[in-house]
Amino acid sequence: MPEKQKINVFWFRRDFRLDDNCGLSEALASGLKVLPIFIYDTDILDKLENKSDKRVDYFHRALKSMHEELKKYKSGITTFKGKPMEAFKKLTEDFDIDTVFCNEDYEPGAIKRDQEISDFLTKKNIGLKSCKDQVIFHKDEVAKKDGKPYTVYTPYSKKWKEVLKDNKIKTYKTDFSQFLSYSVPKFPELKDIGFEKTDIKDEKPALKKSIIEDYGKYRNYPGLDHTTHLGVALRFGTISVRKCVQYALKNNETWLNELIWREFFMQILYHFPKVVNAPFRDKYENIQWRNNEKEFKIWCEGKTGYPIVDAGMRQLNEAGFMHNRVRMVVASFLTKHLLIDWRWGEAYFAEKLLDYELSSNNGNWQWVAGCGCDASPYFRVFNPAEQTKKFDKDEKYIKQWLSEEDLKTEPVVEHTSARKRALEVYGKAVKG
């Protein structure tokens, strides 16, 4: 029997693009032919109850598009469905692998998974090389003088910009001649992995100058829809963060600051993984939440009687997206007006948001609830009526999502008394 050809593997995870992909570029430059793979991880997919999940459809389309492109080079993406360990056991039986390349993931579950795969590969004398791709700076690259991580955004962003001045943003080339040419198994359709097609738009992520140039001026007005809508592309890596940052540096600092917030929350999650299930500030664990299930259901369905809150929740439920200003208002309403645990709201957003990112979702919910590292003070309670006057005075956004009948809904709580109750409960918990 002829000797197997020695190859390298590139493992796609949340970096679904062939251009400017650090780990992929390094694999292709390694001197060996590269087998690209993707694993439909059942540990993740089995938890998704909705089999018409738009996120699965989104990344499946991105994968299929890359697969079709690679077919031009007599290659393609080999896919597996199951647990990652099972996939690597099969791979190591079928191929003579030198190194597995991938891009880093900073979520606690992903770090644990990668360590287990690394341990398995090491026993077989196979390397695992993970590269920095979804951020400009990771782990300890932006740290205080004593090496400790920043826990407040403003000094972090200042240092981030300083470090950037000393580091040119590198982009990565793709050498298509280095993909392994082989008879690729049939690419699975959505139904083959247990999911269904959705009505998600098939749009290639784009940097729109008309939006980004005036981003700071209009981003807070939900009725104008003047946001980049690149959250889902950044989440799944269908656009390179390096490309976004280079564009922001030239066109708009406000948007750059938003991209830095994303990295800030990622390094918080990396350094303080307890935030997944617990408040960053321990004393906030003492809040006596009301956790009224009926009121939570009303909030989820967008039937609170506060139009800006209800419009936001309808948008989330129907479109899998919510305008950022409105996200703050609905989160504040849940945690302060209704005194429902921020973790309930965070979990609901995690289920519905197309651009769901654990670090940002967690960081922003803790920010609003007042319990995060760089939090809004607990006594800040967003007034939905005032927020509407300020950011949707013509009710353009509200009318887009609510009918005349919806606008007649009686408020579930009265603002002044709810605010007073929240301040008392929070104050008692914080003061011990």
Side-chain angles (χ1 to χ4, degrees), residues 381-399:
V381 180
F382 283 98
N383 181 330
E386 289 303 314
Q387 290 288 309
T388 303
K389 270 187 215 166
K390 204 168 175 183
F391 300 111
D392 192 36
K393 68 176 195 297
D394 299 328
E395 299 192 346
K396 190 178 172 186
Y397 174 75
I398 286 169
K399 285 171 183 168

Side-chain angles (χ1 to χ4, degrees), residues 11 66 132 233 351 412:
W11 178 15
M66 290 191 295
K132 178 181 66 171
E351 186 190 320
V412 64

Side-chain angles (χ1 to χ4, degrees), residues 34-236:
V34 175
L35 170 77
I37 69 157
F38 178 74
I39 303 164
Y40 289 99
D41 187 342
T42 49
D43 286 338
I44 297 168
L45 296 180
D46 287 354
K47 289 175 188 162
L48 302 177
E49 289 176 19
N50 179 12
K51 296 308 167 191
S52 295
D53 195 301
K54 290 180 181 179
R55 292 167 295 193
V56 180
D57 193 6
Y58 180 88
F59 75 71
H60 178 268
R61 290 186 200 192
L63 274 165
K64 193 170 183 181
S65 171
M66 290 191 295
H67 178 74
E68 292 301 320
E69 182 66 21
L70 291 177
K71 274 164 67 174
K72 296 174 189 172
Y73 303 91
K74 296 188 170 59
S75 190
I77 299 172
T78 295
T79 64
F80 300 85
K81 187 186 175 199
K83 294 178 187 294
M85 187 63 78
E86 292 164 3
F88 279 100
K89 280 177 182 170
K90 177 92 171 69
L91 269 170
T92 53
E93 285 167 15
D94 295 348
F95 295 93
D96 182 8
I97 302 166
D98 182 82
T99 306
V100 174
F101 288 81
C102 61
N103 287 314
E104 292 172 344
D105 194 327
Y106 310 110
E107 295 184 3
I111 291 168
K112 183 173 177 284
R113 172 202 64 200
D114 290 356
Q115 189 56 57
E116 286 168 2
I117 297 298
S118 178
D119 292 345
F120 167 75
L121 293 173
T122 301
K123 285 175 189 163
K124 295 194 170 282
N125 293 317
I126 299 169
L128 177 68
K129 182 167 188 203
S130 54
C131 304
K132 178 181 66 171
D133 184 73
Q134 60 172 294
V135 291
I136 302 298
F137 300 118
H138 67 160
K139 298 175 182 174
D140 307 307
E141 289 184 315
V142 177
K144 296 178 188 174
K145 283 179 182 168
D146 60 5
K148 289 182 180 170
Y150 282 100
T151 58
V152 177
Y153 170 77
T154 303
Y156 172 84
S157 67
K158 194 179 168 192
K159 182 68 177 286
W160 190 100
K161 289 172 186 176
E162 279 172 23
V163 177
L164 186 69
K165 282 178 190 168
D166 302 325
N167 291 268
K168 191 172 182 289
I169 296 174
K170 188 181 174 186
T171 50
Y172 297 89
K173 291 190 168 70
T174 306
D175 183 354
F176 286 93
S177 69
Q178 283 302 107
F179 282 101
L180 181 68
S181 176
Y182 67 111
S183 178
V184 186
K186 183 179 176 287
F187 193 82
E189 294 301 326
L190 264 176
K191 63 179 187 303
D192 300 326
I193 55 164
F195 285 82
E196 294 158 18
K197 285 186 176 177
T198 69
D199 59 0
I200 187 169
K201 286 179 186 170
D202 212 352
E203 286 179 338
K204 203 171 189 301
L207 294 159
K208 295 172 184 168
K209 198 171 184 184
S210 58
I211 297 282
I212 294 166
E213 264 191 338
D214 296 324
Y215 182 80
K217 197 172 173 185
Y218 299 118
R219 71 186 179 115
N220 275 312
Y221 299 92
L224 299 179
D225 195 25
H226 204 94
T227 57
T228 66
H229 287 282
L230 287 174
V232 66
L234 283 164
R235 164 67 184 90
F236 290 108

Side-chain angles (χ1 to χ4, degrees), residues 7-39:
I7 62 162
N8 283 331
V9 166
F10 179 71
W11 178 15
F12 282 105
R13 288 116 68 93
R14 42 176 300 165
D15 43 18
F16 302 124
R17 65 187 186 284
L18 296 172
D19 66 301
D20 193 19
N21 182 321
C22 179
L24 178 61
S25 180
E26 293 214 5
L28 295 167
S30 66
L32 294 174
K33 294 289 184 180
V34 175
L35 170 77
I37 69 157
F38 178 74
I39 303 164

Side-chain angles (χ1 to χ4, degrees), residues 298-310:
I298 285 169
W299 176 85
C300 290
E301 292 172 354
K303 294 176 180 175
T304 67
Y306 283 83
I308 190 89
V309 174
D310 294 345

